[in-house]
Amino acid sequence: MARRSQLISGALIAGALLLTSLGVSGVATGAPSAAPVSAASLFEAAHSVHMMATSTTSSPEDPDGDGYIPANPPVTGVTPSTQDPPHRYFHEFQANCAVSHTEPDDPIVYPQQPGKSHDHTFMGNTTTNAFSTTASLDAGTTTCKAPGDKSGYWMPTLFNGDKPVLPIGPQTIYYKAGVTDYTSVRPFPKGLRFVVGDPMQSADEFRHHPGFVEGWECGDSYFNVDFPASCPTRADVQLNIRFQAPSCWDGKYLDTPDHKSHMAYPVVKPGTNDNVCPADHPVALPMIEFKMAFPVNGDLSQVRLASGRGYSFHYDFFNAWDDATLKALVDHCVVGGLQCDARGYDQTHPEAGAALDENYQLP
């Protein structure tokens, strides 16, 4: 514990020195820098401090503040499935959720510490803030089409200059099978949370991240690890990104100190092309894929994320689905090998029906 406290103190001091060197007042005493501080410099400073200061604050779900939140009950006795079911090109459904608010909060990385994070754009649960818990999200409301999805979804806010650029309307959040045996996928446990990607990753690390799909794209420009210099100035062109989350769970923890270790990406089974969960993360869960569209085009030279450059993109997920609703969608669409909308309806297989009614609720 003493060693961890020393590391945290050193990180906080380093962060303060970094901000002081940029002339940011209110961090440390001393004469302010004579040089003007750019908005970009402030973003980079906040970005660095955000990552250097590791939270050990206790919360209602982690009273000892060690970062571990055990699953209750844990999932045991599972081995990664190596079965190869009949091929289905699709095994997915969508959670269509709109932006609700922005806030410099992160209830996963900085629980109980409002204003500690860089700015985030929140979707889904309308109450998500630094004090969010599984219980508070359960009691909240949602911008998702399915009222049963009270999960919190958030990502660093995109800025064009100093102006926030927020996605308009319901965004596409896919729930897919990340493993070859799509019939082995089970719903998320209530309260599971994790961070996807890393705001401190380099451009090369971002490009080779297992969650990388298309990078940043707009118009005919694809696979960019940073924002392209410009996009066609047309009404139908927006800046887009697709990024996938890990989908294999250790069955033990709803969260871990780094907010990642309890999750893993599927691996390729030796001698095959099959994706399977690794032995230490044997539980196959839905693979979330963000497909975000930001209404900005033309000159992108002033576009940046609250966390830094384009390759600092990452996002967070805090599961607060109604258990029965999520299970119905996973069983019908993922396990059933369908390409479903937010109702759990596949237009190419109308005979299969839908998992939810016209109000996106269980029938």
Side-chain angles (χ1 to χ4, degrees):
M1 180 62 71
R3 173 60 176 163
R4 182 169 68 179
S5 298
Q6 291 170 1
L7 290 172
I8 294 166
S9 298
L12 290 171
I13 293 170
L17 291 174
L18 174 63
L19 287 173
T20 303
S21 72
L22 292 172
V24 181
S25 63
V27 177
T29 58
S33 170
V37 180
S38 67
S41 295
L42 292 175
F43 273 98
E44 292 296 331
H47 162 53
S48 299
V49 174
H50 171 80
M51 292 311 299
M52 287 191 291
T54 302
S55 172
T56 57
T57 302
S58 63
S59 68
E61 294 177 295
D62 181 20
D64 62 3
D66 68 353
Y68 290 95
I69 301 178
N72 186 21
V75 176
T76 60
V78 175
T79 56
S81 175
T82 58
Q83 299 300 308
D84 195 355
H87 175 72
R88 300 298 292 265
Y89 192 75
F90 295 104
H91 9 70
E92 65 185 42
F93 67 91
Q94 296 182 20
N96 296 140
C97 307
V99 170
S100 59
H101 60 289
T102 64
E103 204 81 44
D105 287 0
D106 190 324
I108 296 177
V109 179
Y110 293 118
Q112 313 293 305
Q113 300 174 79
K116 188 72 174 288
S117 171
H118 55 237
D119 202 64
H120 283 112
T121 295
F122 291 88
M123 296 169 289
N125 202 295
T126 62
T127 70
T128 312
N129 60 28
F131 300 100
S132 292
T133 62
T134 305
S136 73
L137 293 178
D138 263 343
T141 58
T142 184
T143 64
C144 300
K145 285 186 177 179
D149 185 7
K150 296 184 178 181
S151 301
Y153 307 88
W154 62 96
M155 59 191 171
T157 299
L158 185 85
F159 287 86
N160 189 7
D162 293 324
K163 181 181 179 181
V165 179
L166 305 180
I168 298 173
Q171 298 300 291
T172 303
I173 302 170
Y174 290 107
Y175 280 61
K176 301 182 173 183
V179 293
T180 299
D181 184 7
Y182 54 86
T183 67
S184 68
V185 176
R186 64 179 71 194
F188 291 118
K190 181 69 73 69
L192 181 74
R193 66 209 74 178
F194 51 80
V195 178
V196 183
D198 187 342
M200 292 298 288
Q201 63 204 351
S202 68
D204 187 66
E205 287 170 334
F206 179 59
R207 176 65 184 87
H208 293 96
H209 193 283
F212 187 94
V213 181
E214 294 176 353
W216 294 100
E217 64 90 8
C218 62
D220 295 325
S221 180
Y222 298 90
F223 298 106
N224 298 290
V225 297
D226 206 348
F227 303 117
S230 63
C231 290
T233 307
R234 300 197 315 262
D236 63 332
V237 172
Q238 297 189 79
L239 183 66
N240 290 268
I241 189 168
R242 296 168 69 107
F243 207 80
Q244 296 176 341
S247 60
C248 297
W249 179 43
D250 66 6
K252 302 175 183 177
Y253 297 105
L254 301 178
D255 197 11
T256 43
D258 65 358
H259 316 296
K260 296 181 180 181
S261 297
H262 54 309
M263 301 295 297
Y265 285 88
V267 296
V268 177
K269 180 183 175 183
T272 73
N273 292 318
D274 293 345
N275 291 321
V276 299
C277 283
D280 55 355
H281 291 75
V283 185
L285 301 177
M287 181 189 73
I288 288 178
E289 178 182 303
F290 266 32
K291 184 181 180 183
M292 303 288 111
F294 301 88
V296 61
N297 55 33
D299 178 14
L300 301 186
S301 61
Q302 299 301 308
V303 170
R304 62 181 180 271
L305 293 170
S307 55
R309 301 282 291 274
Y311 46 80
S312 72
F313 181 79
H314 59 288
Y315 60 88
D316 300 51
F317 169 67
F318 194 140
N319 176 44
W321 274 90
D322 168 69
D323 289 333
T325 304
L326 179 59
K327 178 173 172 52
L329 287 164
V330 170
D331 288 351
H332 185 70
C333 302
V334 180
V335 175
L338 299 174
Q339 184 184 24
C340 296
D341 61 15
R343 276 191 63 207
Y345 179 74
D346 185 343
Q347 291 185 350
T348 62
H349 291 280
E351 74 283 356
L356 306 179
D357 64 20
E358 60 276 6
N359 296 314
Y360 299 90
Q361 296 179 315
L362 287 171

